[in-house]
Amino acid sequence: VFKKRGIEVVSSNQEIDLVAQIKITKNIDIFPVHRLDRNTEGLVIFAKNKDAKKELDYGFKYRTFQKYYLTWVYGEVQKESDKCVAYLKKDAEK
């Protein structure tokens, strides 16, 4: 499922989250296998039942899946490659 920015996969404070939206619109029970931050958009994998969730959780835990990330860059990239190191600070308001 594609998650837009500004919504949580699973909310901790009674607000409508992605799981609730899917349950309301599709009338099905689903189980999130992983989460994305509120300010991140992208694909979220859901399992249709608890057994499938258990198998998918195992795959994520033991890294049996290959994950690929794509980013879009605006402007001209000056270097062919580089290493970036940064520490994130969580800001609940943003």
Side-chain angles (χ1 to χ4, degrees), residues 11 23-24 28 30 41 53 68-71 78 93:
S11 176
K23 285 182 179 183
I24 291 167
I28 58 172
I30 42 109
E41 65 181 22
K53 179 175 175 20
Y68 296 92
Y69 298 90
L70 175 68
T71 186
Q78 300 296 319
E93 293 179 13

Side-chain angles (χ1 to χ4, degrees), residues 35-56:
R35 298 180 184 192
L36 295 177
D37 291 340
R38 173 192 288 270
N39 63 343
T40 303
E41 65 181 22
L43 295 178
V44 178
I45 297 173
F46 288 93
K48 290 183 175 183
N49 59 57
K50 289 181 181 180
D51 290 336
K53 179 175 175 20
K54 183 178 175 182
E55 290 293 323
L56 289 166

Side-chain angles (χ1 to χ4, degrees), residues 47-93:
K48 290 183 175 183
N49 59 57
K50 289 181 181 180
D51 290 336
K53 179 175 175 20
K54 183 178 175 182
E55 290 293 323
L56 289 166
D57 284 343
Y58 178 90
F60 271 90
K61 181 176 181 178
Y62 293 102
R63 301 179 184 264
T64 61
F65 304 119
Q66 291 184 0
K67 296 189 268 185
Y68 296 92
Y69 298 90
L70 175 68
T71 186
W72 295 3
V73 177
Y74 296 95
E76 187 175 325
V77 178
Q78 300 296 319
K79 298 178 183 178
E80 188 168 319
S81 68
D82 203 350
K83 181 177 180 180
C84 298
V85 178
Y87 300 95
L88 300 176
K89 178 181 175 188
K90 185 156 184 144
D91 185 341
E93 293 179 13

